[in-house]
C-alpha cells in the first residue's frame, strides 16, 4: 500500500495516471492494471490488486475498504 495525495487519488479515481506519482507506483499500476483506492482520516492510499489471485469473497471484502479501479 502506497500513500498518495488527494489530487493523485482523484485522478486515479477517474482512471487517469497522475504524472506526479513516483515512477515505481506508475510502473506497478501499469503492470497490475487494477488498484484499490482508499482513504482514512484525510490520508489517501493506493494498493495494487492482481484480480486473478483473488476469490470472490476476497474481492467483496476489498470493495468494503475502498474503490476498485482498472487503469487501461
Amino acid at each position: 500500500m502506497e500513500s498518495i495525495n488527494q489530487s493523485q487519488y482523484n485522478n486515479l479515481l477517474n482512471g487517469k495516471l497522475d504524472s506526479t506519482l513516483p515512477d515505481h507506483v506508475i510502473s506497478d499500476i501499469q503492470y497490475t492494471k487494477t488498484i484499490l483506492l482508499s482513504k482514512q482520516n484525510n490520508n489517501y492510499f493506493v494498493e495494487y490488486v492482481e484480480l486473478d489471485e483473488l476469490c470472490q469473497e476476497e474481492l467483496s471484502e476489498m470493495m468494503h475498504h475502498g474503490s476498485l479501479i482498472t487503469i487501461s
Side-chain angles (χ1 to χ4, degrees):
M1 185 179 322
E2 300 276 347
S3 181
I4 58 176
N5 66 40
Q6 184 177 8
S7 176
Q8 293 165 332
Y9 175 90
N10 290 334
N11 283 331
L12 289 170
L13 194 58
N14 289 317
K16 299 175 186 165
L17 274 176
D18 190 301
S19 62
T20 65
L21 288 165
D23 289 340
H24 74 279
V25 173
I26 291 173
S27 177
D28 288 345
I29 292 171
Q30 289 174 328
Y31 176 76
T32 61
K33 304 263 190 262
T34 305
I35 56 175
L36 179 70
L37 295 173
S38 58
K39 58 183 175 178
Q40 297 175 349
N41 304 325
N42 293 324
N43 294 309
Y44 300 88
F45 304 96
V46 61
E47 186 173 347
Y48 318 108
V49 178
E50 298 209 27
L51 291 176
D52 58 344
E53 295 183 7
L54 301 175
C55 67
Q56 187 60 40
E57 184 177 316
E58 291 170 317
L59 282 173
S60 295
E61 178 71 24
M62 290 185 97
M63 296 297 283
H64 288 89
H65 295 286
S67 299
L68 199 59
I69 306 292
T70 300
I71 306 289
S72 52

